[in-house]
Amino acid sequence: EILGVLVPRLTELTKSDCIWQRICWRLVECVPERWMEPVVLGFVQRAPGADALSRLLGNLVVKNKKAQFVVTQKVLLLQYGHTTAVLQNLLGYLSLDSLRRALLLRVLQELLETWGSSSAVKHSPPEQQLYISKAILICLSHLKEPEIESCRQELLTSMLEGVKCHLDSSLPQLRRLGMVVAESISSRINTEGPVLKFEYEEDDETRELKSLLVPTPPLCVVPNLPDDDRSEKAGAALPSVPENNKKSQAAAPVMPDEESDTELDSDDDLVPYDMSEDKELKMKAPVYIRDCIEVLTGSEDVDKWEATVKALESLIRRNPAATREVSVELAKILLHLEEKTCIEGFVELRQRAQVAVLTTDPIPVSKYLTSQFYSLNYSLRQRMDILDILVLAAQELSCPKLHGKPEDSDTQKPRIQLLPGSDSSKDWRRIVDERIKSKTRRFATGQCLVEPASSPNQFSPVAGHFFFPLIHHFDRPLTTFDLLGEDQLVLGRLVHTLAVLMYLAANTVAVTAMGKALLEFVWTLRFHVDSYVRQGLLSCISSLLLSVPAELLLADMTEELLETQSWLGDVVEKDPDGDCRRLALQNLLLMENLKKKLEAVPS
């Protein structure tokens, strides 16, 4: 309340009066130690720009240790709720005086240490990482060339360590943050040589980050000017063009006709062929599954290979019997299939064909895919492809299928047959219907459409073949694959896949056994350092509570549920990730609802 009135008035008074500046400096320097933090924070948040803040505070951060701690440590490293404008005020204030620039360099060094710490990346929320990234870029925008030259090696070392930590993260937002900050540091330390360049999708966040690298004027808020003054200042701001340039622009060179004629090629006189009715020759796709296998494995005809890839999914679904004879072999070929030509949507076409094979012959193909997930000599991309295929196939198998075409809606409604060619009969019928409708009171309306015919859940008999092999060997590291080590991105995808499979297995015979195994799996990994993995574990708990009947949960897993409830309470209170806290709270509400349902059921 006080600073809301005081700061704007002092800002006006200190613009042109150095005595008021000295008065203001003396005022803030005499603030007692225990009140220094709220006063400094209030000035930083209320000041209209870095220039105004410099006039109001002077060199307070150099003279007062408490103010220096608040400005250089607490606001930047221990808090992350301030706006970008506050960061620009604060760091711009440090850059406006030679005594304070030493603090700016120290702040940048500490920010880079935090940004490049793998422990900080794993245990701090993404919002704080974004806040620190913004502060780093604002610091870089204020550095001068001699200062960059003096700390070039430190900047390069910090950049390499930080970008590695961020690229190892499972969260796309953190990986993109690391790329943007690394590009910005590289562009400042390598002004003449090659710079780092990553491929990522730009969004509003990345555009804002890149805009922070451009230094802003010290005064952010510009007072409104009258229209005449604006036009005068705008005209004054335009660069003056010399008269010689104006003349040269007016006298643009014109190509003589003779010279242009000599440059014409003699072939231009030829009349082109009319190709408007020409049609592209399309390669005929194979009509048998075994022919497709031969084309995909050994054919050198690129057009035929492309036609086969496009037609494979529909061919598999039309010939289920022939597909079952070679299902495992076809799944192996598709898993290792690489793009020979630049075919549009190749990854999606291959994935749909793999899902078609798996849904046509679920048990042998699922056994093959789940065994290959923990095998040697597979890339992380192939292992994640296996998880995606299992999820998509499980979704397709669990959805009810409509056998045959639905009947036409007109045939479902009995109605009176009227004689054709009589307009009066139509009017008569319409009038009667309107009268009946106006006189009839309806308390409830029945269903107008016939319910679709139900069909068995095809995922029920094969749910165990999808689920248990994936959960079996997760703790056995291989030479090229370690889920509990550096391959935590794949572990996160595995955990989310198990959650989806558990949810789709509702009302199946194996759901209780799956729930027990999944609860043990979650309990083993509940303290994992990666937030993406923890989010997947909490999703597993949600799927478990929604899929397993409440009576079976209490009968078979009472102790485990009590321990899980205690753990969820700790996650709500202590987990640094906001999504994890939200998911844990949802799980606690689900448990409470299950408890109320069981209490409402009479014994």
Side-chain angles (χ1 to χ4, degrees):
E1 292 294 329
I2 295 174
L3 294 179
V5 177
L6 190 62
V7 171
R9 183 64 180 149
L10 288 175
T11 303
E12 288 295 324
L13 291 171
T14 55
K15 270 185 180 180
S16 57
D17 195 337
C18 60
I19 296 176
W20 269 106
Q21 291 185 20
R22 297 292 297 273
I23 293 172
C24 192
W25 298 349
R26 185 67 178 160
L27 175 67
V28 292
E29 287 170 8
C30 292
V31 171
E33 193 80 6
R34 58 181 178 176
W35 296 344
M36 184 60 73
E37 180 180 341
V39 170
V40 171
L41 274 178
F43 271 90
V44 171
Q45 292 170 343
R46 291 281 182 176
D51 186 42
L53 187 62
S54 180
R55 295 196 309 268
L56 294 173
L57 297 183
N59 285 331
L60 178 68
V61 290
V62 180
K63 299 176 182 178
N64 189 290
K65 293 294 181 184
K66 182 65 177 291
Q68 186 179 121
F69 171 75
V70 171
V71 169
T72 62
Q73 296 284 327
K74 192 161 188 177
V75 176
L76 296 174
L77 297 173
L78 303 180
Q79 300 174 350
Y80 57 92
H82 300 291
T83 61
T84 307
V86 170
L87 284 176
Q88 289 175 324
N89 280 356
L90 189 64
L91 297 169
Y93 159 73
L94 293 179
S95 69
L96 288 177
D97 189 88
S98 57
L99 293 175
R100 301 195 294 262
R101 290 194 73 86
L103 291 176
L104 179 69
L105 291 172
R106 196 181 82 188
V107 162
L108 176 59
Q109 184 180 1
E110 292 174 352
L111 286 169
L112 286 172
E113 287 179 2
T114 306
W115 180 76
S117 168
S118 60
S119 177
V121 173
K122 290 176 182 176
H123 295 97
S124 59
E127 294 81 8
Q128 186 171 10
Q129 289 295 316
L130 176 62
Y131 184 81
I132 290 174
S133 301
K134 288 180 179 179
I136 290 172
L137 296 180
I138 295 171
C139 285
L140 288 173
S141 70
H142 291 297
L143 288 188
K144 299 177 180 178
E145 285 302 323
E147 293 168 334
I148 293 176
E149 192 65 35
S150 64
C151 59
R152 188 184 301 275
Q153 190 58 42
E154 291 83 353
L155 286 174
L156 180 61
T157 305
S158 302
M159 179 192 73
L160 294 176
E161 292 176 356
V163 74
K164 180 181 181 301
C165 297
H166 283 76
L167 291 179
D168 286 341
S169 174
S170 303
L171 299 176
Q173 182 187 5
L174 291 186
R175 292 200 297 272
R176 192 166 58 245
L177 272 180
M179 295 177 196
V180 173
V181 176
E183 283 183 355
S184 304
I185 297 174
S186 175
S187 66
R188 290 307 308 270
I189 63 178
N190 296 326
T191 53
E192 298 178 355
V195 296
L196 275 179
K197 200 67 182 173
F198 295 95
E199 291 184 3
Y200 52 85
E201 293 184 5
E202 284 204 2
D203 55 3
D204 294 338
E205 185 179 285
T206 55
R207 282 188 284 271
E208 181 191 4
L209 286 170
K210 290 182 177 181
S211 68
L212 296 177
L213 202 60
V214 180
T216 55
L219 189 61
C220 298
V221 178
V222 180
N224 293 329
L225 299 173
D227 293 340
D228 297 338
D229 294 348
R230 284 182 189 171
S231 58
E232 289 177 6
K233 294 205 172 189
L238 290 174
S240 58
V241 182
E243 293 184 3
N244 298 334
N245 291 352
K246 292 181 181 178
K247 292 179 180 178
S248 62
Q249 290 176 4
V254 179
M255 186 71 70
D257 294 337
E258 297 176 2
E259 187 177 347
S260 61
D261 290 338
T262 56
E263 291 183 357
L264 293 176
D265 195 354
S266 59
D267 291 343
D268 291 342
D269 297 333
L270 298 176
V271 179
Y273 287 107
D274 184 13
M275 303 179 68
S276 58
E277 297 182 358
D278 285 10
K279 294 181 180 179
E280 183 182 356
L281 294 176
K282 293 185 178 180
M283 178 62 66
K284 191 175 181 181
V287 294
Y288 297 106
I289 297 293
R290 293 188 182 274
D291 293 342
C292 292
I293 292 177
E294 291 179 3
V295 172
L296 294 176
T297 53
S299 177
E300 297 295 332
D301 190 342
V302 176
D303 294 333
K304 195 171 185 180
W305 182 89
E306 186 173 334
T308 302
V309 172
K310 291 181 178 179
L312 186 56
E313 182 202 2
S314 59
L315 195 59
I316 291 170
R317 296 190 185 278
R318 287 201 308 267
N319 302 281
T323 302
R324 291 189 187 99
E325 295 177 1
V326 291
S327 57
V328 176
E329 182 183 357
L330 187 56
K332 182 178 181 180
I333 292 169
L334 290 172
L335 185 60
H336 294 86
L337 188 64
E338 295 182 356
E339 189 173 5
K340 284 186 178 181
T341 62
C342 187
I343 176 174
E344 185 178 357
F346 168 75
V347 176
E348 184 182 357
L349 290 170
R350 183 182 62 179
Q351 186 184 72
R352 283 160 51 184
Q354 288 172 301
V355 172
V357 174
L358 182 52
T359 53
T360 303
D361 200 7
I363 293 179
V365 177
S366 63
K367 284 182 178 179
Y368 169 75
L369 291 175
T370 51
S371 65
Q372 297 307 299
F373 181 76
Y374 289 108
S375 297
L376 290 169
N377 302 325
Y378 279 95
S379 66
L380 300 184
R381 178 70 265 169
Q382 286 175 308
R383 298 182 199 276
M384 289 191 285
D385 285 344
I386 290 174
L387 296 176
D388 292 339
I389 295 160
L390 291 171
V391 166
L392 293 172
Q395 288 176 340
E396 185 175 329
L397 289 171
S398 62
C399 292
K401 295 181 179 179
L402 297 177
H403 301 283
K405 294 183 179 179
E407 296 180 359
D408 188 63
S409 57
D410 293 336
T411 60
Q412 296 172 5
K413 299 178 182 178
R415 57 188 180 185
I416 300 173
Q417 183 74 27
L418 298 177
L419 294 174
S422 175
D423 294 335
S424 60
S425 61
K426 294 180 183 178
D427 295 337
W428 168 80
R429 187 68 192 175
R430 180 178 56 79
I431 294 170
V432 171
D433 286 341
E434 289 178 358
R435 286 180 181 176
I436 294 174
K437 187 177 180 180
S438 63
K439 299 290 184 182
T440 305
R441 294 181 62 192
R442 301 184 184 277
F443 296 99
T445 57
Q447 292 184 351
C448 298
L449 300 177
V450 179
E451 294 185 2
S454 60
S455 62
N457 184 353
Q458 296 182 2
F459 184 59
S460 177
V462 299
H465 296 283
F466 282 60
F467 183 85
F468 290 110
L470 287 179
I471 211 170
H472 193 52
H473 298 298
F474 75 94
D475 55 348
R476 299 182 187 178
L478 301 174
T479 308
T480 58
F481 187 48
D482 186 7
L483 279 177
L484 300 183
E486 59 184 8
D487 296 324
Q488 56 191 11
L489 174 61
V490 186
L491 177 62
R493 294 287 292 273
L494 171 64
V495 174
H496 282 83
T497 299
L498 293 173
V500 175
L501 295 178
M502 184 73 217
Y503 180 74
L504 296 175
N507 303 319
T508 61
V509 177
V511 68
T512 307
M514 291 171 63
K516 284 184 179 180
L518 188 60
L519 201 54
E520 292 178 6
F521 174 78
V522 170
W523 198 249
T524 305
L525 298 173
R526 67 188 185 280
F527 296 125
H528 200 279
V529 295
D530 191 81
S531 58
Y532 182 63
V533 175
R534 296 198 305 275
Q535 291 172 17
L537 296 173
L538 293 166
S539 299
C540 288
I541 298 295
S542 301
S543 300
L544 172 71
L545 295 173
L546 293 170
S547 301
V548 182
E551 298 81 3
L552 296 178
L553 276 175
L554 291 182
D556 299 336
M557 296 174 259
T558 308
E559 295 182 3
E560 291 89 341
L561 285 177
L562 291 175
E563 292 176 345
T564 303
Q565 189 175 18
S566 175
W567 167 60
L568 291 173
D570 291 339
V571 172
V572 171
E573 294 179 0
K574 302 175 183 177
D575 199 289
D577 187 77
D579 290 333
C580 290
R581 295 194 298 270
R582 178 180 54 80
L583 287 169
L585 185 60
Q586 288 180 355
N587 287 333
L588 289 173
L589 293 175
L590 281 174
M591 286 186 170
E592 191 66 27
N593 291 337
L594 288 176
K595 182 181 176 182
K596 289 180 181 178
K597 282 183 181 180
L598 291 174
E599 288 176 352
V601 175
S603 56

